[in-house]
Amino acid sequence: MTSSFANITKVPELRQRLLFTLSMLAVYRLGIFITVPGVDRGLMQQVIEQQQGTLFGMFNMFVGGALEQASVFSLGIMPYISSSIILQLLTVVVPSLERLSKEGDQGRKKITQYTRYLTIVLSVVQGTIIASNLESLNFNGQNVVLAPGLTFKLITILSLTAGTAFVMWLGEQITERGIGNGMSLIIFAGIIAGLPATLYRTLEQAQQGLI
């Protein structure tokens, strides 16, 4: 395996693709630490800490810890994946989409465009839900949101939707100009980034006799 990796670095095109992939993933990881305006990130981290082992905590793991950072990438690539699944299902039951899927590259490009549009719609819906949930969160009587209200909701929805669109773009760039499937690599990078903290918490709980 080591020799195979060494051979990759010797081929100029593969080396460029590898470096491009790593740089795009680095951009994604840096974006995780950009917090949605109006959210106390410290309190949010405390809230997520209490939710470890729940569905809330599991979602945070899949988005690479973006939720506990109250990041603009909190939705991650999930809206895109949901859109892809919905379009695939609709292709079976909607004749016009079925025809598009059989038209080769041109048809697939059209379906991909529809997937992007649906991703934005789902991001707005999910962003609205997250904005409302953030306003209801508190830790020891302190609200996670500094100034709840319509302005906060609109800014949060816009930030999360823009974040998802950017992550979607990163994934497509990796797929086209990097190595492997960009969407899968973004999910993988998120899980790997959160793995050390998860293992540490598990070992800490084991030492305390909680598991």
Side-chain angles (χ1 to χ4, degrees):
M1 181 175 179
T2 304
S3 59
S4 299
F5 185 79
N7 290 333
I8 289 177
T9 59
K10 292 178 181 178
V11 180
E13 183 181 355
L14 288 178
R15 185 171 62 248
Q16 290 176 0
R17 283 180 171 273
L18 179 61
L19 290 174
F20 180 82
T21 299
L22 293 176
S23 63
M24 291 297 99
L25 292 177
V27 169
Y28 168 67
R29 289 307 304 166
L30 287 174
I32 292 291
F33 300 99
I34 301 176
T35 304
V36 172
V39 178
D40 189 320
R41 185 166 64 181
L43 290 178
M44 186 64 182
Q45 290 173 337
Q46 295 293 333
V47 171
I48 295 297
E49 185 71 26
Q50 291 180 331
Q51 300 292 328
Q52 294 301 327
T54 66
L55 186 61
F56 211 47
M58 187 68 69
F59 180 79
N60 180 61
M61 182 186 72
F62 275 105
V63 293
L67 193 58
E68 70 178 275
Q69 301 290 337
S71 170
V72 294
F73 289 172
S74 290
L75 293 177
I77 204 65
M78 297 306 175
Y80 182 86
I81 293 174
S82 300
S83 299
S84 299
I85 294 172
I86 292 172
L87 261 297
Q88 287 177 6
L89 293 175
L90 288 178
T91 300
V92 179
V93 297
V94 178
S96 57
L97 289 177
E98 186 178 5
R99 286 194 298 271
L100 276 177
S101 67
K102 296 178 180 178
E103 290 180 3
D105 288 340
Q106 195 64 31
R108 283 193 292 272
K109 287 180 180 179
K110 201 71 174 178
I111 291 177
T112 299
Q113 196 67 27
Y114 292 155
T115 302
R116 291 170 182 156
Y117 293 148
L118 185 56
T119 298
I120 299 302
V121 173
L122 291 181
S123 297
V124 171
V125 173
Q126 293 179 17
T128 303
I129 295 172
I130 286 184
S132 298
N133 286 338
L134 284 174
E135 287 187 328
S136 66
L137 293 178
N138 67 82
F139 184 77
N140 291 337
Q142 292 181 290
N143 292 328
V144 169
V145 176
L146 303 177
L150 181 60
T151 301
F152 168 76
K153 285 182 179 179
L154 291 176
I155 291 176
T156 300
I157 293 168
L158 180 61
S159 298
L160 294 178
T161 301
T164 295
F166 185 71
V167 173
M168 177 174 63
W169 179 81
L170 284 179
E172 290 179 348
Q173 292 302 305
I174 292 173
T175 300
E176 292 177 9
R177 301 168 58 187
I179 295 176
N181 183 283
M183 307 304 175
S184 299
L185 285 174
I186 285 175
I187 295 174
F188 178 73
I191 294 174
I192 290 298
L195 194 58
T198 301
L199 290 176
Y200 175 77
R201 280 192 294 266
T202 301
L203 291 172
E204 193 176 46
Q205 290 177 349
Q207 290 175 350
Q208 294 173 357
L210 297 179
I211 57 174

